[in-house]
Amino acid sequence: MTSFTPKKILIFGGTGTIGKYITTSLLRAKPTFDQVILFTSPNGAATKKDLLSKWESDGLSIIVGNLESEADVRAAYKGVDTVISAVGRGGLQHQVDLLRWAEESDSVQWFLPSEFGTDIEHNTDKSPNEKPHQLKLKTRKFIRENIKRLKVTYVVTGPYFDMWVHTVPGLEKAGGFNPDTKEAYVIEDGGGKVGFCTMWDVGKFVVATLQHPEQAFGKALKVQSFIVSPNEVVAEYEKQTGTKWNVTKTPLSEIAALETKLWEEGNPKATSVTLRRIWAEGGTLYAKNDNEVIGLGRPEDLDSLEVGVKRGLENAWLKTDTF
């Protein structure tokens, strides 16, 4: 493929947890794309009318269809050159079909699978066996073995800082921060570094990826807003709230034992604990990230820890008027 510029973008999962940030960022991109299209279910169209109406006023096109319908998806692909999948964990099993139909499309040239989050191939010894990674690993295997024409790029962001700072109810010791009680929960001594993306920066990284196709084709781009330790996050919370916080430290071995117990019980919260254990073990760290590859190599290009904590105190990621 020579001198490709994405013009007509189709996004799946664009009203979801991270999808909202990506869709909004696509609509605000400068220079603008010729067309941004959201594929949504009938239920999504019915329950998210206000959000969709606002986006339509910003230039969004909407296709209502069934993600599992080959006819609906193939029809949506007509004339589209770039596809972004932002489906959540509940939709990951559909990505193989989405890719297969894109490969067979007359127009789709580029596909960004839903890889936003933890690096599923960070460690060759442990990553292949991590339970939360399995559907994404299946997708990558399908791509390696079956995708010949289509260009594919993974945008690997690590944990979303906006969500990481919040505790999981009942599992606080797995990590997080409670502004109401001024309680912080860290793993081990809290000194281990973690690479984060804010949710708005995920959208920014996706747009930047689309603006650098030749640099991004065929890559798993590891991108990060900032790299800090939980202790540094505690210090920033204390600075912004003007008070000392109580810090609870939990050994990694205890987190691993909790994780095993939750998986054995079939508790859906096991996924969250597994991911927090992976991050605490260094599963977001690299000799060098790929920010510069897509033109976002300066700290001022991205959100800072200060901004991330400010949003955390405001519970900004839960507010629907953000978009």
Side-chain angles (χ1 to χ4, degrees):
M1 188 186 304
T2 58
S3 189
F4 171 77
T5 301
K7 295 180 179 179
K8 195 170 181 179
I9 318 297
L10 175 69
I11 181 169
F12 295 102
T15 63
T17 300
I18 198 60
K20 293 192 293 285
Y21 292 86
I22 296 172
T23 300
T24 302
S25 297
L26 291 170
L27 292 170
R28 295 176 181 175
K30 301 295 181 185
T32 59
F33 299 104
D34 287 0
Q35 188 176 17
V36 178
I37 308 164
L38 171 73
F39 186 102
T40 190
S41 67
N43 180 65
T47 59
K48 299 179 180 180
K49 288 182 179 179
D50 291 344
L51 177 61
L52 297 181
S53 177
K54 180 184 183 305
W55 278 346
E56 282 185 300
S57 69
D58 293 334
L60 181 71
S61 300
I62 297 172
I63 294 175
V64 178
N66 182 348
L67 190 67
E68 299 178 51
S69 166
E70 180 175 352
D72 287 357
V73 174
R74 286 189 184 276
Y77 282 165
K78 289 181 179 178
V80 166
D81 57 55
T82 301
V83 175
I84 299 170
S85 172
V87 296
R89 289 194 176 275
L92 291 174
Q93 71 272 21
H94 302 304
Q95 288 201 117
V96 166
D97 282 337
L98 296 179
L99 281 153
R100 180 184 294 111
W101 300 330
E103 173 79 356
E104 296 169 356
S105 162
D106 292 332
S107 62
V108 178
Q109 303 296 313
W110 196 8
F111 199 110
L112 279 64
S114 184
E115 287 277 341
F116 316 106
T118 306
D119 185 354
I120 62 170
E121 293 184 340
H122 184 275
N123 184 304
T124 55
D125 294 327
K126 300 185 70 172
S127 295
N129 301 311
E130 300 288 8
K131 289 183 173 67
H133 294 353
Q134 296 311 304
L135 284 175
K136 290 186 177 182
L137 287 169
K138 180 181 177 182
T139 299
R140 288 204 186 189
K141 182 175 186 291
F142 175 82
I143 290 169
R144 286 194 297 269
E145 296 178 354
N146 298 277
I147 299 301
K148 309 301 180 184
R149 180 191 63 81
L150 201 62
K151 299 297 184 183
V152 176
T153 298
Y154 307 111
V155 181
V156 181
T157 65
Y160 310 144
F161 184 81
D162 318 57
M163 297 177 68
W164 175 85
V165 295
H166 293 279
T167 56
V168 177
L171 301 173
E172 287 80 5
K173 65 181 180 181
F177 301 78
N178 188 328
D180 294 331
T181 62
K182 306 298 184 295
E183 296 277 347
Y185 302 86
V186 304
I187 298 176
E188 291 290 346
D189 64 0
K193 298 280 188 178
V194 181
F196 295 101
C197 268
T198 66
M199 296 173 89
W200 277 118
D201 276 352
V202 172
K204 182 177 287 188
F205 279 124
V206 170
V207 170
T209 298
L210 298 185
Q211 293 171 339
H212 294 80
E214 293 184 9
Q215 293 86 350
F217 283 158
K219 302 280 183 59
L221 298 171
K222 284 83 169 180
V223 294
Q224 299 165 320
S225 298
F226 45 78
I227 305 166
V228 296
S229 69
N231 288 342
E232 291 174 275
V233 180
V234 172
E236 185 60 33
Y237 267 102
E238 290 179 338
K239 177 182 176 182
Q240 293 196 28
T241 59
T243 188
K244 194 73 175 173
W245 284 44
N246 183 57
V247 180
T248 298
K249 301 177 180 180
T250 303
L252 190 58
S253 59
E254 190 172 329
I255 298 299
L258 172 63
E259 172 190 358
T260 299
K261 177 176 180 290
L262 293 174
W263 282 113
E264 289 175 348
E265 295 172 348
N267 191 320
K269 293 180 180 179
T271 293
S272 176
V273 177
T274 295
L275 294 176
R276 287 178 179 268
R277 186 259 302 159
I278 291 170
W279 303 332
E281 289 178 335
T284 65
L285 303 179
Y286 309 93
K288 184 177 176 61
N289 61 37
D290 295 310
N291 293 10
E292 289 183 8
V293 174
I294 52 174
L296 293 174
R298 303 176 305 167
E300 57 265 32
D301 293 330
L302 302 164
D303 288 332
S304 63
L305 172 60
E306 179 183 2
V307 169
V309 168
K310 181 176 184 294
R311 291 190 189 133
L313 289 169
E314 296 171 349
N315 282 323
W317 78 279
L318 296 173
K319 296 179 179 179
T320 57
D321 60 358
T322 304
F323 309 96

